[in-house]
Amino acid sequence: MLFALMTLFAGGDPAPAAPQGGAPPLASMVPLLFIGVAFILLFTFTSRRQRNQQQNLLSGLKRNDKVITNGGIIGVVVDVREKKDDDIKEEELVIRVDDSTNTRMRVLRSSIVRVFSSQPSAADTKK
């Protein structure tokens, strides 16, 4: 920007004419095409990896797993139900959100974004 202002105030030509017989215009676009293709491939591979991780996470759900839904609701899985209604085409979970009143909610399996396994970790078993 500073260079553009300097040329403007100096009264010089801001864009000098290209020399005759230079590189063809398509050759200057080749690096941009490589960058574009690399960006698309990187985006595709990362989104596919995230989708596979989410499927693995949801396939391993079981009772007593602590889960967080995409709405921010935290609960413990009480029951994993198969498709029962004709209107709902997905499996659903029953989660307990409050222990004192035994409040339960039905949520779709696809709404789970994080799972904390009910298995004790290695650090907990050493204590």
Side-chain angles (χ1 to χ4, degrees), residues 9-25:
F9 288 126
D13 187 16
Q20 297 295 332

Side-chain angles (χ1 to χ4, degrees), residues 30-40:
V30 170
L32 290 175
L33 290 174
F34 280 130
I35 291 171
V37 168
F39 179 74
I40 290 171

Side-chain angles (χ1 to χ4, degrees), residues 15-55:
Q20 297 295 332
L26 187 61
S28 64
M29 293 189 62
V30 170
L32 290 175
L33 290 174
F34 280 130
I35 291 171
V37 168
F39 179 74
I40 290 171
L41 290 175
L42 181 69
F43 181 73
T44 304
F45 288 138
T46 56
S47 65
R48 183 179 299 155
R49 186 183 65 205
Q50 287 176 350
R51 194 174 337 120
N52 287 340
Q53 286 176 347
Q54 183 71 11
Q55 286 176 350

Side-chain angles (χ1 to χ4, degrees), residues 37-105:
V37 168
F39 179 74
I40 290 171
L41 290 175
L42 181 69
F43 181 73
T44 304
F45 288 138
T46 56
S47 65
R48 183 179 299 155
R49 186 183 65 205
Q50 287 176 350
R51 194 174 337 120
N52 287 340
Q53 286 176 347
Q54 183 71 11
Q55 286 176 350
N56 291 339
L57 179 85
L58 295 179
S59 67
L61 278 175
K62 59 188 178 305
R63 287 187 59 153
N64 296 327
D65 281 348
K66 191 172 186 177
V67 295
I68 299 177
T69 67
N70 60 3
I73 299 171
I74 302 171
V76 177
V77 176
V78 176
D79 188 20
V80 179
R81 296 181 179 173
E82 299 294 324
K83 304 174 216 173
K84 291 187 178 181
D85 298 333
D86 291 334
D87 297 337
I88 301 174
K89 303 294 183 201
E90 270 189 74
E91 291 182 347
E92 61 183 39
L93 304 171
V94 177
I95 61 173
R96 185 179 62 242
V97 293
D98 189 16
D99 289 330
S100 61
T101 60
N102 202 18
T103 305
R104 296 176 182 211
M105 295 179 68

